[in-house]
Amino acid sequence: MGLLCTIRTLPSSSVKSFIITHSDLVLRAVCNSQNRLAHAASQAASVNSSNGATASIPENKYELFVRPDVQDILKKLTAIDPHKVLPNLTKLKQTREITLMTKEQLIQAEKAALERAEQLSQMPPVLPPRKECEKVMAVDSQLSGLSTSSIVFTDTTLGLPERERVMVVRTPDGALMSAPWEVRDRVLQVYYPRSGRRVKPAPMFSGIYLENLIKERRYKYLLDSACCQYEPDHPDFIKITHQVYEDCEARETYHALLSTRHYGPMVFYFVLQKRVTNLLKHLLHQNRPDDCIEVIKLYSIVWDLELASPPETYSIKVMTSFIQNFIEKEAITDVSLLREIKILSLRDSISSSHSEKISADEASNSDSESDSSSSGSESDGSSSESESDSESGSSTDGKYFK
């Protein structure tokens, strides 16, 4: 039979009643309330110490991530490659399939593969850390000491979003409080399990295991696993992603996340931190000045920076002047970045002079060919005249011979 429980959410004037079943709605969580609160406080302190700069960023800046123009810039920077996003699909099949296609069918298949790659490359949202949701609703001293463990009451109505699902905890000291995030995540995984997510996070997300994965540059595997285990605003997810991004900057291994769903959030993270100097150096060193323009456009959108209009035609000269304008606006004095810009300009001047030389050589070759063709036509005319003279001479000689 069902169990009728009255949960006191407000003072005695307002009482809210819930009809719940004993098997589906009551879960005994073996944890002490004081230890749970102490663990949550220590976890919040560690997250705040490791991501102190995150707390200083206004929350309205995170909302810019979902803007269409920002998403277009991040997708352009990601440079989705279907061969990298879909590498193991053929390995799943024991035998390869060879299909004869027309040109139109091949175009449709490539388009479908690109759409599948874009779907798999959907970027996880960049969100601020979620706020604590613990709130004491009532304290009943008569229930103190009645149980040695906390009791969790969950609303299991079908179709409710996870964030709107009511979940309260009755602690051993008689206090009735809203369930903290740690308890909510564990209970929701018990009632509504998600594929790839565990009730308790795997050891790979903490300690020496996390350090070894980052040291081995297994960024994609670590971030994909974190996306399965945590919500985007979970403090542990934010801490793990930031550690990966910081390691990419320290080792200059940004390209390890290129053509993955995590490259765009990484660029957005450095833009939020106002630390794009090393990223610009890397892009210039990789001979990708057009991506530098996109990063600067994103920076100007996030921080309302007034710059000259971005170049419509991406010539090296125009792009370098646009980048130098950004450097002057932000008062960047990094010598290596300025050196990369000079190298890019020198490379462009050398290539342009080389192309001019090639075009001049081609023009001279074409002139010589035209001269040779004209001389050949003159020689052909003289030979034809000699041939006609010889024919006329032979005819007169024939008369004399006759």
Side-chain angles (χ1 to χ4, degrees), residues 6-39:
T6 301
I7 302 177
R8 188 182 298 275
T9 59
L10 295 173
S12 57
S13 58
S14 301
V15 178
K16 201 178 269 189
S17 299
F18 295 93
I19 300 177
I20 58 177
T21 60
H22 184 272
S23 59
D24 290 336
L25 302 181
V26 179
L27 175 69
R28 290 188 173 272
V30 185
C31 61
N32 186 271
S33 60
Q34 297 179 353
N35 293 336
R36 185 179 64 251
L37 294 175
H39 175 71

Side-chain angles (χ1 to χ4, degrees), residues 82-367:
H83 297 285
K84 188 174 182 180
V85 179
L86 311 170
N88 298 322
L89 294 183
T90 56
K91 295 182 181 179
L92 298 177
K93 300 180 180 180
Q94 296 180 355
T95 58
R96 293 186 177 183
E97 296 181 359
I98 300 175
T99 306
L100 297 177
M101 296 183 177
T102 62
K103 188 175 181 179
E104 295 179 354
Q105 291 176 342
L106 181 60
I107 293 174
Q108 292 178 358
E110 291 176 351
K111 184 178 179 181
L114 184 59
E115 291 177 355
R116 175 63 174 165
E118 291 179 354
Q119 187 179 10
L120 293 177
S121 301
Q122 185 177 3
M123 294 176 285
V126 179
L127 300 174
R130 59 193 183 188
K131 299 179 181 179
E132 295 296 331
C133 61
E134 296 182 43
K135 181 180 179 181
V136 178
M137 300 177 179
V139 178
D140 193 345
S141 59
Q142 295 181 357
L143 298 178
S144 179
L146 187 64
S147 176
T148 58
S149 60
S150 300
I151 303 175
V152 181
F153 299 87
T154 306
D155 182 9
T156 58
T157 305
L158 297 177
L160 281 179
E162 292 184 354
R163 297 296 174 97
E164 299 179 7
R165 198 172 294 280
V166 177
M167 191 179 299
V168 294
V169 180
R170 176 72 73 175
T171 59
D173 57 358
L176 183 68
M177 57 188 299
S178 56
W181 288 113
E182 181 185 9
V183 176
R184 289 185 65 90
D185 293 340
R186 189 167 65 249
V187 173
L188 288 173
Q189 181 61 18
V190 171
Y191 282 129
Y192 310 100
R194 287 191 179 186
S195 177
R197 181 174 295 185
R198 300 184 181 183
V199 176
K200 293 183 178 180
M204 63 180 290
F205 298 117
S206 60
I208 191 173
Y209 303 102
L210 177 62
E211 295 177 0
N212 290 336
L213 286 174
I214 294 177
K215 190 181 298 182
E216 295 172 2
R217 300 182 182 179
R218 301 180 64 182
Y219 304 139
K220 185 177 182 300
Y221 171 73
L222 179 60
L223 294 176
D224 287 342
S225 302
C227 287
C228 292
Q229 180 63 39
Y230 301 108
E231 293 297 322
D233 59 350
H234 196 289
D236 288 344
F237 177 81
I238 296 174
K239 181 179 68 174
I240 292 169
T241 54
H242 289 185
Q243 287 183 6
V244 172
Y245 301 157
E246 295 292 339
D247 191 75
C248 288
E249 185 184 34
R251 298 188 185 185
E252 296 184 359
T253 54
Y254 305 98
H255 58 276
L257 295 178
L258 191 63
S259 292
T260 67
R261 58 189 301 206
H262 310 290
Y263 190 83
M266 180 187 66
V267 174
F268 193 78
Y269 166 75
F270 287 120
V271 170
L272 285 180
Q273 299 290 333
K274 292 187 176 181
R275 292 162 46 196
V276 296
T277 305
N278 293 331
L279 180 60
L280 293 176
K281 284 192 298 185
H282 172 76
L283 294 175
L284 289 174
H285 186 70
Q286 297 290 327
N287 197 17
R288 293 161 57 192
D290 50 343
D291 288 346
C292 291
I293 302 298
E294 299 298 329
V295 173
I296 295 174
K297 286 166 58 178
L298 178 63
Y299 190 97
S300 62
I301 292 173
V302 174
W303 295 108
D304 299 327
L305 186 64
E306 294 183 0
L307 292 173
S309 58
E312 298 179 357
T313 58
Y314 282 0
S315 64
I316 299 297
K317 186 176 181 180
V318 176
M319 285 190 290
T320 51
S321 63
F322 184 78
I323 297 172
Q324 287 176 349
N325 183 22
F326 169 73
I327 292 173
E328 293 174 359
K329 284 279 187 180
E330 289 298 297
I332 299 175
T333 58
D334 194 296
V335 179
S336 56
L337 178 58
L338 299 175
R339 186 176 64 249
E340 289 292 341
I341 295 175
K342 290 181 180 179
I343 291 173
L344 181 64
S345 302
L346 181 61
R347 188 186 304 160
D348 178 60
S349 62
I350 292 173
S351 62
S352 61
S353 62
H354 183 64
S355 61
E356 289 176 359
K357 183 179 179 181
I358 292 175
S359 61
D361 293 340
E362 291 178 352
S364 62
N365 292 333
S366 62
D367 293 338

